Coordinates of all heavy atoms in Angstrom, one line a residue:
L111 N 305.9 -33.0 219.2 CA 304.8 -33.2 220.1 C 303.5 -33.3 219.3 O 302.5 -34.1 219.6 CB 304.7 -31.9 221.0 CG 303.9 -32.1 222.3 CD1 304.6 -33.3 223.1 CD2 304.2 -30.9 223.1
S112 N 303.4 -32.5 218.1 CA 302.1 -32.6 217.3 C 302.1 -34.0 216.7 O 301.0 -34.6 216.5 CB 302.2 -31.6 216.2 OG 302.4 -30.4 216.7
R113 N 303.4 -34.6 216.3 CA 303.3 -35.9 215.7 C 302.8 -36.9 216.8 O 302.0 -37.8 216.3 CB 304.8 -36.1 215.2 CG 304.7 -37.1 214.0 CD 306.0 -37.3 213.3 NE 306.9 -37.6 214.2 CZ 308.2 -37.2 214.1 NH1 308.6 -36.4 213.2 NH2 309.1 -37.6 214.9
L114 N 303.3 -36.8 218.0 CA 302.8 -37.8 219.0 C 301.4 -37.7 219.2 O 300.6 -38.7 219.4 CB 303.6 -37.5 220.3 CG 305.0 -38.1 220.4 CD1 305.6 -38.0 221.8 CD2 305.1 -39.5 219.9
Q115 N 300.9 -36.4 219.2 CA 299.4 -36.2 219.4 C 298.6 -37.0 218.4 O 297.6 -37.6 218.6 CB 299.1 -34.8 219.4 CG 297.6 -34.5 219.7 CD 297.2 -33.1 219.9 OE1 298.0 -32.3 220.6 NE2 296.1 -32.7 219.3
R116 N 299.1 -36.9 217.2 CA 298.5 -37.6 216.0 C 298.5 -39.1 216.2 O 297.6 -39.8 215.9 CB 299.1 -37.2 214.6 CG 298.7 -35.8 214.2 CD 299.4 -35.5 212.9 NE 299.3 -34.0 212.6 CZ 299.7 -33.5 211.5 NH1 300.2 -34.2 210.5 NH2 299.6 -32.1 211.4
E117 N 299.6 -39.5 216.7 CA 299.7 -41.0 217.0 C 298.7 -41.4 218.0 O 298.1 -42.5 217.9 CB 301.1 -41.3 217.5 CG 302.1 -41.8 216.5 CD 303.5 -42.1 217.2 OE1 303.6 -42.7 218.1 OE2 304.5 -41.5 216.5
V118 N 298.6 -40.6 219.0 CA 297.6 -41.0 220.1 C 296.2 -40.9 219.6 O 295.4 -41.9 219.8 CB 297.8 -39.9 221.3 CG1 296.7 -40.1 222.3 CG2 299.1 -40.0 222.0
E119 N 296.0 -40.0 218.8 CA 294.6 -39.8 218.2 C 294.3 -41.1 217.3 O 293.2 -41.8 217.4 CB 294.5 -38.6 217.3 CG 294.4 -37.3 218.1 CD 294.5 -36.1 217.3 OE1 294.5 -36.1 216.0 OE2 294.5 -35.0 217.9
Q120 N 295.3 -41.5 216.6 CA 295.1 -42.6 215.6 C 294.9 -43.9 216.5 O 293.9 -44.7 216.2 CB 296.5 -42.8 214.9 CG 296.6 -44.1 214.0 CD 295.8 -43.9 212.7 OE1 295.6 -42.7 212.3 NE2 295.3 -45.0 212.1
I121 N 295.7 -44.1 217.6 CA 295.4 -45.3 218.4 C 294.1 -45.3 219.1 O 293.4 -46.4 219.0 CB 296.6 -45.4 219.5 CG1 298.0 -45.6 218.9 CG2 296.3 -46.6 220.4 CD1 299.1 -45.5 219.8
F122 N 293.7 -44.2 219.5 CA 292.4 -44.2 220.2 C 291.2 -44.3 219.3 O 290.2 -45.0 219.5 CB 292.2 -43.0 221.2 CG 292.8 -43.2 222.5 CD1 294.0 -42.7 222.8 CD2 292.1 -43.9 223.5 CE1 294.6 -43.0 224.0 CE2 292.7 -44.2 224.8 CZ 294.0 -43.7 225.0
A123 N 291.4 -43.8 218.1 CA 290.4 -43.8 217.0 C 290.2 -45.3 216.6 O 289.1 -45.8 216.4 CB 290.8 -43.0 215.8
E124 N 291.3 -46.0 216.6 CA 291.2 -47.5 216.3 C 290.5 -48.3 217.3 O 290.0 -49.3 217.1 CB 292.6 -48.1 216.0 CG 293.2 -47.7 214.6 CD 294.7 -47.9 214.5 OE1 295.3 -48.6 215.3 OE2 295.2 -47.5 213.4
M125 N 290.5 -47.7 218.5 CA 289.9 -48.5 219.6 C 288.4 -47.9 219.7 O 287.7 -48.1 220.8 CB 290.5 -48.3 221.0 CG 291.9 -49.0 220.9 SD 292.7 -49.2 222.7 CE 293.3 -47.6 222.9
I129 N 287.6 -38.0 218.4 CA 288.6 -37.0 218.9 C 287.8 -35.7 219.0 O 287.0 -35.3 218.0 CB 289.6 -36.8 217.9 CG1 290.1 -38.1 217.3 CG2 290.8 -36.1 218.4 CD1 290.7 -39.1 218.2
I197 N 288.3 -38.9 223.2 CA 289.4 -38.2 223.9 C 289.5 -36.8 223.4 O 289.0 -36.3 222.3 CB 290.7 -38.9 223.4 CG1 291.1 -38.8 221.9 CG2 290.8 -40.3 223.9 CD1 292.5 -39.1 221.5
P199 N 292.5 -34.0 223.1 CA 293.9 -33.6 223.4 C 294.0 -32.1 223.3 O 293.3 -31.4 222.6 CB 294.7 -34.2 222.2 CG 293.5 -34.5 221.2 CD 292.2 -34.4 221.8
V219 N 296.1 -35.2 227.3 CA 295.1 -35.9 226.6 C 294.0 -36.4 227.6 O 294.4 -37.2 228.5 CB 295.6 -37.1 225.9 CG1 294.5 -37.8 225.0 CG2 296.7 -36.6 224.8
F240 N 296.7 -49.2 225.0 CA 297.3 -47.9 224.5 C 298.8 -47.8 224.6 O 299.5 -47.5 223.7 CB 296.6 -46.7 225.1 CG 297.4 -45.5 224.9 CD1 297.4 -44.8 223.6 CD2 298.2 -44.8 225.9 CE1 298.2 -43.6 223.4 CE2 298.9 -43.8 225.7 CZ 298.9 -43.1 224.5
F244 N 301.6 -47.4 221.8 CA 302.3 -46.1 221.8 C 303.8 -46.3 222.0 O 304.6 -45.6 221.3 CB 301.7 -45.2 222.9 CG 302.3 -43.8 222.9 CD1 302.0 -42.9 221.9 CD2 303.3 -43.4 223.9 CE1 302.5 -41.6 222.0 CE2 303.8 -42.2 223.9 CZ 303.4 -41.2 223.0
F309 N 290.2 -40.2 232.2 CA 291.6 -40.0 232.5 C 292.2 -38.7 231.9 O 291.5 -38.1 231.0 CB 292.4 -41.2 232.1 CG 292.4 -41.4 230.5 CD1 293.2 -40.5 229.7 CD2 291.7 -42.4 229.9 CE1 293.3 -40.7 228.4 CE2 291.8 -42.6 228.5 CZ 292.5 -41.7 227.8
F311 N 296.1 -37.7 230.8 CA 297.6 -37.8 230.9 C 298.4 -36.7 230.3 O 297.9 -36.0 229.5 CB 298.0 -39.3 230.5 CG 297.8 -39.5 229.0 CD1 298.8 -39.0 228.0 CD2 296.8 -40.3 228.5 CE1 298.6 -39.2 226.7 CE2 296.7 -40.6 227.1 CZ 297.6 -40.1 226.2
L313 N 300.8 -35.6 227.8 CA 301.4 -36.1 226.6 C 302.9 -35.7 226.5 O 303.8 -36.4 226.1 CB 300.7 -35.5 225.4 CG 301.2 -35.9 224.1 CD1 301.0 -37.4 223.9 CD2 300.5 -35.2 222.9
M316 N 304.8 -38.1 228.5 CA 305.0 -39.3 227.7 C 306.0 -39.1 226.6 O 306.7 -40.0 226.3 CB 303.6 -39.6 227.0 CG 302.5 -40.0 227.9 SD 302.5 -41.8 228.1 CE 300.9 -42.0 229.0

Side-chain angles (χ1 to χ4, degrees):
L111 207 55
S112 309
R113 214 172 47 220
L114 281 190
Q115 185 175 315
R116 288 183 193 182
E117 262 179 50
V118 170
E119 289 173 3
Q120 175 80 24
I121 295 170
F122 277 99
E124 282 167 13
M125 293 196 283
I129 323 295
I197 61 160
V219 178
F240 164 71
F244 184 75
F309 65 72
F311 67 75
L313 181 66
M316 291 268 193

